[in-house]
Amino acid sequence: MIQSPAHSKPLTQAKLGLGFMAISLLVLIASLVYFFHVLQPRLTQEAQDQATLLVNNIAQPLTYYDVLVDEHQTILTTSLLLLYSDENEQPFIKAISLNFNPTLINRPTLFDGQLCDNCFIVSLPLFDNQTAELLAEAKFWVNPVNHQRLINDLREKLLITLSLILLLLAGFWILLKHLLQQLINSQQHNQSILNSIEDILFMINSNGTVIDQNPIAATIVTKKTFVLADLVQTLHGQPLDIITDSKLNHPIEIRYKQGKYQGEIGLMTISKMQPSGLQPQDQFIVLIKNIQALRSAQAELKHQTELAHLSRLRTLGEMASGIAHEVKQPLAVIRLGAEGLKGLHQQAWSDDSRQFALELDQTIIEQVDRADRIVRNIRSFARLEQAAAQWIKVPDVIESALGFVKQAYHLDKIKLIENIDYNQPRLFMEYHKLEQVIVNLVANAKDAIEEKSANTPPKDYQAWIKLNLYQQSNQVILEVEDNGCGMTLEQKQKCLTPFYTTKDAEKGVGIGLAIVKNIADLYDAKLTITSNIGEGTCFRLSFNCPTNLTTDDALA
């Protein structure tokens, strides 16, 4: 099973820590060995050579026979040599020993100065600078203070260098640890994403045998070894081995044959993995997504769409009397015009008759267009399919929506009050959706008025419905207000819930206001409700303005 690499984190960091300590210790030992076994002996030898060279230069006064043969001169010369010092006022020679050649100078060995344990000893034969005869064997004890100072300086530099190297190694270790932590975190993040996928993920070979799976798949299939064909079957008749051989990457629908999803529908995609040296044969990634919930949601959406369509048809049924009156009026005008033309055709034409005939012709054309608009509005409102969103003028939509109900509401003695600001920005939305919002809100207001009218004497109650359109800040406000029965707090909280209604079953299914809420959410409009029992209700829709342009220049 695909597992998280979290367990490897402590082990990996421990290995890197040991490696860092080993490298640091190796660098330290190598530096110390180089200093004490290579550098320091070499420096000591160089110091010895420099001391010998310097002694050769300053011991020249002892190469005279006259000086060595005279004891007083010899002591004076050695004393001067012992006083010779460097720039730090340290005596260069600490002691001098002269062993005279008895054949030339018959004197005992001369020693002057103070011996020291760590002095450089330089042995030097003294030859007469004139006769080149050996006068004496001399030993010089050279002060090692300069050499020791150099060694100390080198040790300090070595410690500083080692400290810098250790700091660099520590910085490298911190950087490496940080990079390792990032790598582990990235692996854990990727693994957590993989493990949190609710879809089934398999790795199969070319024979269809499952060789690995994610934790979700492990909870569905408990068998350790199985082939993919044991779990799923395709819905369109393609055998799984053919699909694998063809290496298709497009999804295909399948049905689960076992496990907790047995009988449900899924969407499967098979992708070939990139070849590597670790896999001896072709391997495939199989991703199966359970779409049973999606299918159910689609069915529910279709059901709600059909109910919304039924709601529109019910509204049209309620509008039938007003629509019939609206269509009857232009048809009556057309009939009168046609009868007038018939009478004219039976008489001799005059200029006045010809003008009257032209006016009748124009009246007939206008009334036919009016009837055509009414029919087209009815067909558009009653249709089921969606249309594309467009820049629309809200006043035009209000006029179209009220055109369905004006006459019917007039007959029911309901006063329609329009407070419309025509200088409003256009809104980008589907024309008939906004029209449906207005029609549903107006129909809901009419129902509230009818409920109040049933309990109120006609002389004491003038029913009205107000439509207000105005701009507030950067929003277009559309209000539908009535003086109907109003709503209780519970009714106001539940009225937008699908299928909630206080009406009789034959008057509605409680989906009109739910449709208004869904359309408002679709276009990011805020819907607020203000209502008082016995006083009325106001539905307020606030649309965000996409631009500051008005309806007349929004598309310029």
Side-chain angles (χ1 to χ4, degrees):
M1 182 186 298
I2 303 173
Q3 296 180 348
S4 172
H7 66 280
S8 63
K9 174 181 175 182
L11 182 60
T12 304
Q13 290 187 349
K15 288 182 178 179
L16 285 177
L18 290 175
F20 169 75
M21 293 177 61
I23 293 175
S24 302
L25 186 60
L26 182 62
V27 170
L28 181 62
I29 294 174
S31 301
L32 294 176
V33 168
Y34 175 76
F35 179 78
F36 288 105
H37 293 274
V38 178
L39 184 60
Q40 185 169 333
R42 184 180 299 173
L43 292 175
T44 302
Q45 183 61 43
E46 290 181 359
Q48 180 75 35
D49 295 341
Q50 290 178 0
T52 302
L53 181 61
L54 187 56
V55 166
N56 280 327
N57 291 330
I58 66 175
Q60 288 301 318
L62 296 176
T63 59
Y64 293 94
Y65 175 79
D66 296 338
V67 173
L68 294 182
V69 76
D70 186 348
E71 182 177 358
H72 178 71
Q73 289 289 335
T74 303
I75 294 174
L76 180 60
T77 302
T78 57
S79 297
L80 291 174
L81 291 178
L82 291 176
L83 293 176
Y84 183 84
S85 61
D86 56 12
E87 65 274 8
N88 296 318
E89 298 183 355
Q90 290 287 335
F92 180 71
I93 299 175
K94 300 284 287 185
I96 300 174
S97 173
L98 297 177
N99 188 12
F100 300 103
N101 185 357
T103 59
L104 296 179
I105 303 172
N106 189 12
R107 287 176 54 192
T109 301
L110 175 67
F111 180 82
D112 193 4
Q114 185 176 1
L115 294 177
C116 58
D117 295 333
N118 54 351
C119 288
F120 293 114
I121 299 177
V122 177
S123 297
L124 181 67
L126 299 176
F127 295 94
D128 191 303
N129 60 354
Q130 293 180 355
T131 62
E133 291 181 312
L134 180 63
L135 298 177
E137 292 286 346
K139 284 186 178 181
F140 299 87
W141 280 262
V142 180
N143 191 351
V145 63
N146 292 325
H147 171 68
Q148 193 63 41
R149 188 182 298 115
L150 176 63
I151 295 297
N152 293 335
D153 290 343
L154 288 176
R155 285 178 180 173
E156 291 178 1
K157 292 179 180 179
L158 176 64
L159 291 176
I160 294 174
T161 303
L162 288 177
S163 300
L164 291 175
I165 292 175
L166 291 177
L167 286 176
L168 289 176
L169 288 175
F172 176 74
W173 161 245
I174 293 174
L175 178 62
L176 184 63
K177 185 178 180 181
H178 178 68
L179 293 177
L180 176 64
Q181 186 64 47
Q182 285 186 332
L183 178 61
I184 292 175
N185 291 340
S186 176
Q187 290 177 342
Q188 290 177 342
H189 177 69
N190 295 336
Q191 192 65 44
S192 64
I193 293 176
L194 184 63
N195 292 341
S196 63
I197 294 176
E198 296 183 358
D199 301 330
I200 298 176
L201 187 66
F202 291 121
M203 183 186 299
I204 64 173
N205 57 22
S206 55
N207 299 325
T209 302
V210 176
I211 57 179
D212 205 351
Q213 57 192 3
N214 67 342
I216 297 297
T219 61
I220 297 173
V221 182
T222 56
K223 299 171 65 175
K224 293 185 177 180
T225 303
F226 65 97
V227 295
L228 187 61
D230 294 338
L231 178 65
V232 300
Q233 65 179 12
T234 60
L235 294 183
H236 304 292
Q238 308 103 313
L240 284 176
D241 54 351
I242 296 178
I243 296 174
T244 304
D245 290 340
S246 59
K247 304 173 182 60
L248 297 178
N249 288 328
H250 62 269
I252 59 173
E253 291 186 341
I254 56 93
R255 187 183 300 277
Y256 294 93
K257 296 169 61 177
Q258 58 173 290
K260 68 177 183 179
Y261 294 153
Q262 183 175 1
E264 297 184 0
I265 298 174
L267 201 62
M268 181 175 70
T269 303
I270 301 178
S271 304
K272 185 178 180 181
M273 295 179 61
Q274 293 294 332
S276 66
L278 300 178
Q279 54 188 56
Q281 56 181 343
D282 291 340
Q283 294 180 353
F284 303 88
I285 293 294
V286 180
L287 181 65
I288 305 177
K289 183 177 185 62
N290 192 327
I291 59 172
Q292 187 65 39
L294 179 61
R295 287 291 184 88
S296 300
Q298 289 175 341
E300 179 65 22
L301 179 61
K302 182 179 179 182
H303 177 63
Q304 291 190 10
T305 304
E306 291 174 350
L307 289 178
H309 184 57
L310 291 176
S311 176
R312 288 196 293 269
L313 294 180
R314 184 184 68 83
T315 304
L316 284 176
E318 295 175 354
M319 301 173 183
S321 60
I323 294 172
H325 181 79
E326 288 288 335
V327 175
K328 184 178 179 180
Q329 278 189 338
L331 292 179
V333 175
I334 293 170
R335 181 176 180 81
L336 289 174
E339 289 178 352
L341 287 176
K342 182 179 179 181
L344 288 175
H345 291 162
Q346 295 173 354
Q347 300 175 5
W349 286 88
S350 64
D351 292 340
D352 293 339
S353 298
R354 186 177 296 106
Q355 180 63 31
F356 181 65
L358 292 175
E359 292 177 357
L360 285 178
D361 289 341
Q362 183 62 34
T363 301
I364 291 172
I365 292 172
E366 291 175 354
Q367 297 304 316
V368 170
D369 290 342
R370 179 183 174 189
D372 180 66
R373 285 196 302 271
I374 294 172
V375 173
R376 281 191 287 109
N377 285 342
I378 295 173
R379 293 179 62 187
S380 297
F381 182 77
R383 65 183 182 151
L384 184 61
E385 68 275 5
Q386 293 184 345
Q390 57 183 328
W391 293 101
I392 60 174
K393 295 181 180 180
V394 181
D396 292 349
V397 182
I398 295 175
E399 182 180 354
S400 174
L402 295 183
F404 292 119
V405 298
K406 268 186 178 181
Q407 187 60 32
Y409 285 19
H410 177 71
L411 296 175
D412 292 335
K413 298 182 180 181
I414 299 175
K415 187 177 180 181
L416 286 175
I417 304 172
E418 301 178 44
N419 298 320
I420 307 299
D421 182 0
Y422 289 88
N423 192 31
Q424 293 297 313
R426 295 180 184 237
L427 297 180
F428 188 76
M429 62 186 302
E430 187 181 338
Y431 185 97
H432 294 291
K433 286 193 180 298
L434 181 57
E435 185 180 54
Q436 184 176 3
V437 166
I438 297 172
V439 169
N440 285 355
L441 291 177
V442 171
N444 186 76
K446 179 177 179 292
D447 292 338
I449 288 172
E450 288 178 346
E451 184 175 342
K452 184 175 180 178
S453 298
N455 302 316
T456 305
K459 64 178 181 178
D460 297 333
Y461 180 47
Q462 171 59 58
W464 52 259
I465 299 176
K466 290 182 182 179
L467 281 90
N468 305 317
L469 179 66
Y470 58 94
Q471 186 172 354
Q472 187 177 74
S473 185
N474 62 338
Q475 290 184 322
V476 174
I477 309 300
L478 173 61
E479 294 177 342
V480 178
E481 185 180 359
D482 65 75
N483 63 340
C485 62
M487 291 187 291
T488 65
L489 179 60
E490 180 183 3
Q491 289 172 342
K492 188 168 68 172
Q493 292 174 345
K494 295 182 178 180
C495 68
L496 301 179
T497 305
F499 310 114
Y500 174 78
T501 180
T502 58
K503 307 171 188 174
D504 297 334
E506 63 272 10
K507 289 188 177 181
V509 294
I511 200 172
L513 293 181
I515 292 174
V516 173
K517 179 65 167 61
N518 289 338
I519 295 175
D521 292 342
L522 180 64
Y523 293 103
D524 294 328
K526 182 180 180 181
L527 175 60
T528 55
I529 305 173
T530 304
S531 183
N532 294 309
I533 290 292
E535 297 181 6
T537 302
C538 178
F539 287 86
R540 189 172 192 257
L541 282 164
S542 304
F543 295 91
N544 294 321
C545 295
T547 175
N548 291 327
L549 301 178
T550 63
T551 54
D552 294 329
D553 57 9
L555 297 180

